[in-house]
Amino acid sequence: MPSSIQLILSLSTVFLIISAPIILANSDSIEDRFYQCVNLHTDLSIPFPKAFFTPKNASTFASTLESTAQNLRCLVPSKPKPKLIFKPLQESHVQAAVICGKELGIQLRIRSGGHDYEGMSYTSATKSVPFILIDLANLRSINVSIDQNSAWVEVGATVGEVFYRISQQSKTHGFPAGLCTSLGIGGHITGGAYGPMMRKYGLGVDNVVDARIVDATGRILDRESMGEDLFWAIRGGAGGSFGVLLAWKLRLVPVPSIVTGFTVPKTLEQNGTKLLYRWQQVADKLDEDLFIRVLIQTVNSSSEPGKRTVLTVYQGLFLGRIDRLLRVMKREFPELGLTQKDCKEMSWIESALYIAGYPSTVRPEFLLQGKPFMNKTHFKAKSDFVTEPIPEHALEGIWERFLKEDAPFSIWNPYGGMMSKIAESATPFPHRKGRKIMIQWLTAWQADDAKTEKKHFGWIRELYEFVAPYVSKNPREAYANYKDLDLGMNNIHGNTSLMKASLWGMKYFKNNFKRLILVKTKYDPDNYFRHEQSIPTLHSLSEGNVNKLFN
Ligand SMILES: Cc1cc2nc3c(=O)[nH]c(=O)nc-3n(C[C@H](O)[C@H](O)[C@H](O)COP(=O)(O)OP(=O)(O)OC[C@H]3O[C@@H](n4cnc5c(N)ncnc54)[C@H](O)[C@@H]3O)c2cc1C
Ligand SMILES: *[C@@H]1O[C@H](CO)[C@@H](O)[C@H](O)[C@H]1NC(C)=O
Ligand SMILES: *[C@@H]1O[C@H](CO)[C@@H](O)[C@H](O)[C@H]1NC(C)=O
Ligand SMILES: *[C@@H]1O[C@H](CO)[C@@H](O)[C@H](O)[C@H]1NC(C)=O
Ligand SMILES: *[C@@H]1O[C@H](CO)[C@@H](O)[C@H](O)[C@H]1NC(C)=O
Ligand SMILES: *[C@@H]1O[C@H](CO)[C@@H](O)[C@H](O)[C@H]1NC(C)=O
Ligand SMILES: *[C@@H]1O[C@H](CO)[C@@H](O)[C@H](O)[C@H]1NC(C)=O
């Protein structure tokens, strides 16, 4: 294969004599055969160094692997690495990758923006299963059509790039997707995609009108040719189960030319616990133009030197101007004590930077770099849905635990509005009416070692147990985009037990899990697209009868 040939040509004669037999012996490796097969299935020959990255070239391999990978915990040396990274340059390359991967019996890991919480787009929990990484970062074109109130977006584009391109065409159009601007629109939309306009317009998946996907046979399908079952499944059934998405067609939503952002911090000493209890009572009932989330972390106390305290930061986006916001707040949530000086008027695109936590010196053009502003960390996270406000004594129990951890973090997102108006079965994302708040629990650290990881895993698992009585039950719901392998894993060698799959499947999808299994069985009967928490097929479920689970 060309890489071997190039390598041979570039090496000295002496070294060639020693190394040639090794290279030749390697030339039948799975990655070589994959490369040959992909070239055979595409019209033009793909220049190797432009699109393929092998561990033989350690530095480019590592930088390509690390490029968009967000969770450093999933990049540590002990984590399985791909045999090869392929970065398709056009859609037909993705088709070839699926056909060849299937033919050679090697698994694919599919990556758009690399923000998967368990790194399932670039590593594996099972060492013995080799895989090739298909990194879609080169497929990132965005075509906004204000006339048609829509945008076609290739999966490798980040949320921030999409927002920016929309804002370049119009100050009064937007799209309701995530708060973090470096998310890949590909993986992000597959699991739901919530953001600061969810109360007004619902999730990203609620505003997708078409898609292009490469299915398990290598065909490219759009909404019309895939049919409504598969189109339903890909809008919330999470990534890596049904095929390789190439692009989404998004429906734009109206936004005012001026919106208002605000930030109000409260520590425990400032009655933070009481206020958070009050916020839980009102957050889902506020005016639909208003989104107030709470970011929770620990900080040094300013009143008592040497003491730590919990800081709750109320961060808001209001789809309107300051004067109306202040009237709404006075009527609906006066306890926060919001004043004019906490508020800032801005354009919608500036609000995307504001809510993502960028300093005000960062300009919207930064979004075109498609990378996060924050430094990467090692992290572990979990999610919960709240149906009744968590009582103050339980909040105090949470603070007690937070104060024992190095860098705990939690984000509480308000529900209500459009989220309550969409039926649980409208998309695979089932967490709709009756939920007041979605919580994310997170802990982060910097050291690479297993001992440190174990300590932080222990902390978050204990917190998760402690919170159990105060959150949704039967099932305890979880957000599929906040992937958590503690909830259970498939046997990715093949058969998966129904009982095991339903442990995580019911939490992420509730009764939609059944329809997801049926769609999966129809479109990928061989269960080619699989990972630790991919939707299983009926055939691959080794015990029980699917109907039993849902009756
Ligand atoms: C810092 C941070 C902030 C976040 N903020 C939010 C937020 O505000 N709102 C929210 O809803 N979520 C948020 N998330 C979660 C995020 O939505 C998910 O992690 C999402 O899956 C990321 O998509 P990606 O393309 O970046 O990830 P990837 O790691 O590339 O992919 C995630 C999953 O989707 C699969 N996949 C990726 N691309 C494709 C494709 N083209 N076809 C088929 N399958 C594919 C992967 O195999 C993997 O299983 C956040 C995550 C992080 C790390
Ligand atoms: C590794 O890849 C880079 C970029 O393609 C290339 O410049 C370099 O020559 C390669 N090194 C080797 C040893 O092949
Ligand atoms: C955007 O338009 C260009 C030019 O017509 C096209 O090549 C590209 O594929 C389009 N992208 C999407 C995501 O539709
Ligand atoms: C906290 O609440 C108590 C009792 O409701 C009140 O007396 C006190 O002034 C409040 N403190 C602050 C900083 O708001
Ligand atoms: C918090 O306090 C600790 C110990 O008193 C100190 O080492 C640390 O620098 C402080 N952190 C900040 C952000 O001030
Ligand atoms: C990221 O890390 C670098 C190097 O440690 C540091 O200089 C920079 O300030 C950090 N950036 C942020 C946003 O924390
Ligand atoms: C899974 O189990 C079913 C039923 O026992 C069996 O028919 C099938 O061949 C198994 N598949 C694999 C991959 O082992």
Side-chain angles (χ1 to χ4, degrees), residues 68 70-71 108-117 119-122 136 155-156 177-180 182-196 203 213 238-248 293 379 438 440 479-483 531:
T68 58
Q70 277 307 299
N71 198 341
L108 302 181
R109 294 276 144 156
I110 307 155
R111 183 163 78 179
S112 288
H115 283 58
D116 193 273
Y117 271 35
M120 289 302 111
S121 53
Y122 53 91
L136 300 159
V155 287
L179 299 122
C180 167
S182 55
L183 300 173
I185 199 83
H188 181 47
I189 301 259
T190 60
Y194 78 88
L203 307 171
I213 187 172
S241 289
F242 300 100
V244 185
L245 279 146
L246 297 170
W248 295 108
R293 66 170 180 166
F379 68 89
M438 171 164 78
Q440 167 173 213
Y479 178 29
N481 258 353
Y482 289 159
K483 200 169 283 157
H531 56 73

Side-chain angles (χ1 to χ4, degrees), residues 306-414:
K307 202 183 148 213
R308 306 273 299 159
T309 185
V310 174
L311 178 70
T312 54
V313 177
Y314 292 78
Q315 192 195 41
L317 174 70
F318 182 63
L319 297 172
R321 305 194 65 154
I322 292 182
D323 50 352
R324 185 161 70 91
L325 168 63
L326 291 175
R327 288 200 301 276
V328 169
M329 285 298 281
K330 200 172 160 194
R331 193 170 63 229
E332 300 181 0
F333 189 26
E335 295 84 354
L336 185 63
L338 187 75
T339 64
Q340 178 129 18
K341 70 167 173 28
D342 303 316
C343 304
K344 198 174 165 208
E345 289 186 340
M346 57 189 95
S347 63
W348 175 75
I349 190 66
E350 286 166 340
S351 81
L353 296 163
Y354 179 88
I355 211 118
Y358 292 81
S360 57
T361 48
V362 176
R363 299 317 308 152
E365 283 65 32
F366 177 83
L367 298 175
L368 293 179
Q369 294 181 25
K371 60 175 194 190
F373 181 74
M374 298 304 195
N375 287 326
K376 294 178 186 176
T377 61
H378 302 64
F379 68 89
K380 172 71 193 168
K382 293 178 175 293
S383 58
D384 264 316
F385 289 85
V386 175
T387 53
E388 288 303 322
I390 300 180
E392 286 182 43
H393 69 86
L395 295 178
E396 272 151 19
I398 296 169
W399 306 156
E400 205 178 289
R401 285 162 177 79
F402 264 50
L403 291 167
K404 285 184 189 148
E405 178 68 344
D406 304 332
F409 189 53
S410 190
I411 304 181
W412 297 33
N413 275 285

Side-chain angles (χ1 to χ4, degrees), residues 71-362:
N71 198 341
L72 296 180
R73 150 172 90 78
C74 305
L75 285 171
V76 298
S78 61
K79 288 280 183 184
K81 304 286 183 286
K83 292 279 170 209
L84 183 72
I85 302 172
F86 177 34
K87 292 181 77 174
L89 302 166
Q90 57 191 58
E91 290 187 339
S92 64
H93 297 173
V94 182
Q95 294 177 279
V98 169
I99 291 165
C100 295
K102 209 172 172 188
E103 209 170 282
L104 296 168
I106 186 160
Q107 286 197 14
L108 302 181
R109 294 276 144 156
I110 307 155
R111 183 163 78 179
S112 288
H115 283 58
D116 193 273
Y117 271 35
E118 298 281 4
M120 289 302 111
S121 53
Y122 53 91
T123 186
S124 161
T126 314
K127 286 206 171 61
S128 54
V129 180
F131 63 94
I132 288 174
L133 166 50
I134 309 299
D135 185 334
L136 300 159
N138 287 328
L139 301 183
R140 62 196 310 143
S141 81
I142 299 170
N143 295 334
V144 177
S145 168
I146 296 298
D147 290 349
Q148 292 175 30
N149 199 43
S150 65
W152 267 110
V153 178
E154 282 186 315
V155 287
T158 60
V159 163
E161 288 169 81
V162 175
F163 290 172
Y164 182 81
R165 293 296 177 202
I166 296 171
S167 76
Q168 287 301 96
Q169 303 274 321
S170 160
K171 300 288 169 231
T172 55
H173 289 75
F175 184 72
L179 299 122
C180 167
T181 59
S182 55
L183 300 173
I185 199 83
H188 181 47
I189 301 259
T190 60
Y194 78 88
M197 297 203 290
M198 66 191 275
R199 303 192 64 248
K200 178 91 172 182
Y201 297 118
L203 307 171
V205 287
D206 302 325
N207 295 279
V208 164
V209 289
D210 205 339
R212 288 168 69 75
I213 187 172
V214 175
D215 76 358
T217 66
R219 285 178 306 176
I220 294 181
L221 305 175
D222 65 3
R223 180 175 184 168
E224 201 188 336
S225 52
M226 79 178 81
E228 287 304 302
D229 258 354
L230 183 55
F231 186 61
W232 173 85
I234 57 176
R235 285 173 300 147
S241 289
F242 300 100
V244 185
L245 279 146
L246 297 170
W248 295 108
K249 186 181 185 185
L250 314 176
R251 177 176 57 223
L252 307 182
V253 301
V255 296
S257 54
I258 295 178
V259 302
T260 305
F262 63 87
T263 305
V264 179
K266 296 278 183 202
T267 60
L268 297 188
E269 290 72 25
Q270 294 167 305
N271 288 342
T273 307
K274 273 199 164 39
L275 186 64
L276 188 64
Y277 184 68
R278 180 68 191 148
W279 171 82
Q280 293 182 79
Q281 294 173 317
V282 300
D284 63 320
K285 301 181 189 73
L286 298 174
D287 189 300
E288 285 178 21
D289 285 335
L290 181 54
F291 169 92
I292 307 178
R293 66 170 180 166
V294 189
L295 312 176
I296 304 172
Q297 63 194 93
T298 56
V299 292
N300 287 345
S301 165
S302 56
S303 50
E304 266 184 75
K307 202 183 148 213
R308 306 273 299 159
T309 185
V310 174
L311 178 70
T312 54
V313 177
Y314 292 78
Q315 192 195 41
L317 174 70
F318 182 63
L319 297 172
R321 305 194 65 154
I322 292 182
D323 50 352
R324 185 161 70 91
L325 168 63
L326 291 175
R327 288 200 301 276
V328 169
M329 285 298 281
K330 200 172 160 194
R331 193 170 63 229
E332 300 181 0
F333 189 26
E335 295 84 354
L336 185 63
L338 187 75
T339 64
Q340 178 129 18
K341 70 167 173 28
D342 303 316
C343 304
K344 198 174 165 208
E345 289 186 340
M346 57 189 95
S347 63
W348 175 75
I349 190 66
E350 286 166 340
S351 81
L353 296 163
Y354 179 88
I355 211 118
Y358 292 81
S360 57
T361 48
V362 176

